[in-house]
Amino acid sequence: MSRKKVLLVDDVHLILELEKAFLKGLPVDILVAHNGAEALEIARRELPDLIYLDLNMPVMDGPTCCRALKSDPATMGIPVVMVTTAGREQDELLCRTSGCDDYLSKPINNKVFLEKGRKLIADFERRKQRYKYSADVQFLENGEPRYGLIADISKEGLFMAIPHDALPDDPVDLAFSLPHDGKNILVTAR
């Protein structure tokens, strides 16, 4: 089975890193672009199997890029998932009228992100499954205790949901326990 190519397009580095993390462990090659013009060039050259395309970017925005992709015979068959700001109906309409195959809203949920990929291309599955585990987690942020929820966990790491915005790449000290032994696990993460 040949590896699929997935093109991630966003001008925000943190979003690209998050999307890359969602794809970690999948049998895919990841391509990255920072605006629509760059995405169009890469798509025409590499012919990816799937594109996650941000709506609002400099140089060329997502809808303009999507219309160009869908009007080019070489790229018109590539599925495009537009990524937009949550709760903005005009953005959703703009996504639909640009010709995209699907869309999702920020903040991006990893399960929804992967579901969209599974619907649009075959063989878009993890090689290593994440363990479905939910638990409370405590962490320190600027010396203050905060609380969140572990969404799932694997040998490579865990996803944590917290009820407020955190700064990207800020180190945090986490404390949680696993069900098999109940011992507290203390780690530093970002």
Side-chain angles (χ1 to χ4, degrees), residues 79-94:
V80 176
V81 177
M82 296 281 290
V83 182
T84 183
T85 307
R88 297 190 54 184
E89 289 181 32
Q90 65 270 29
D91 285 355
E92 181 182 329
L93 181 62
L94 191 55

Side-chain angles (χ1 to χ4, degrees), residues 124-178:
F124 193 73
E125 295 292 332
R126 286 187 178 277
R127 284 180 287 184
K128 299 175 190 167
Q129 287 286 50
R130 295 186 73 82
Y131 177 62
K132 303 292 184 204
Y133 178 65
S134 179
D136 293 328
V137 64
Q138 179 181 1
F139 62 98
L140 295 176
E141 186 176 56
N142 299 323
E144 295 291 318
R146 304 274 191 235
Y147 300 90
L149 183 70
I150 294 172
D152 60 19
I153 194 167
S154 77
K155 186 176 178 181
E156 288 85 23
L158 61 85
F159 284 100
M160 182 175 72
I162 57 174
H164 68 283
D165 291 335
L167 296 174
D169 295 324
D170 276 358
V172 292
D173 295 315
L174 301 177
F176 62 96
S177 61
L178 296 175

Side-chain angles (χ1 to χ4, degrees), residues 4-7 48-53 66 70 76-83 99-104 112-125:
K4 303 291 185 183
K5 294 180 195 174
V6 178
L7 174 57
D49 298 284
L50 176 64
I51 300 172
Y52 287 93
L53 179 64
C66 188
K70 294 301 183 178
M76 67 180 8
I78 300 170
V80 176
V81 177
M82 296 281 290
V83 182
C100 70
D101 298 274
D102 206 342
Y103 69 94
L104 61 96
V112 175
F113 181 88
L114 293 172
E115 268 177 33
K116 303 286 183 179
R118 278 187 210 102
K119 280 184 6 185
L120 295 169
I121 63 173
D123 303 321
F124 193 73
E125 295 292 332

Side-chain angles (χ1 to χ4, degrees), residues 12-131:
V12 177
H13 178 74
L14 176 64
I15 299 296
L16 289 172
E17 290 305 310
L18 182 66
E19 291 175 346
K20 284 182 197 176
F22 294 160
L23 295 172
K24 186 175 180 177
L26 287 174
V28 299
D29 292 322
I30 300 170
L31 308 168
V32 174
H34 299 93
N35 61 62
E38 191 178 332
L40 199 53
E41 178 185 320
I42 291 170
R44 287 175 173 153
R45 182 180 67 239
E46 296 291 331
L47 298 174
D49 298 284
L50 176 64
I51 300 172
Y52 287 93
L53 179 64
D54 188 40
L55 179 73
N56 298 308
M57 295 177 292
V59 183
M60 179 188 287
D61 66 10
T64 304
C65 179
C66 188
R67 283 190 289 274
L69 287 165
K70 294 301 183 178
S71 66
D72 183 336
T75 58
M76 67 180 8
I78 300 170
V80 176
V81 177
M82 296 281 290
V83 182
T84 183
T85 307
R88 297 190 54 184
E89 289 181 32
Q90 65 270 29
D91 285 355
E92 181 182 329
L93 181 62
L94 191 55
C95 289
R96 290 181 186 279
T97 59
S98 71
C100 70
D101 298 274
D102 206 342
Y103 69 94
L104 61 96
S105 298
K106 294 178 186 176
I108 303 170
N109 175 293
N110 67 316
K111 289 177 179 59
V112 175
F113 181 88
L114 293 172
E115 268 177 33
K116 303 286 183 179
R118 278 187 210 102
K119 280 184 6 185
L120 295 169
I121 63 173
D123 303 321
F124 193 73
E125 295 292 332
R126 286 187 178 277
R127 284 180 287 184
K128 299 175 190 167
Q129 287 286 50
R130 295 186 73 82
Y131 177 62

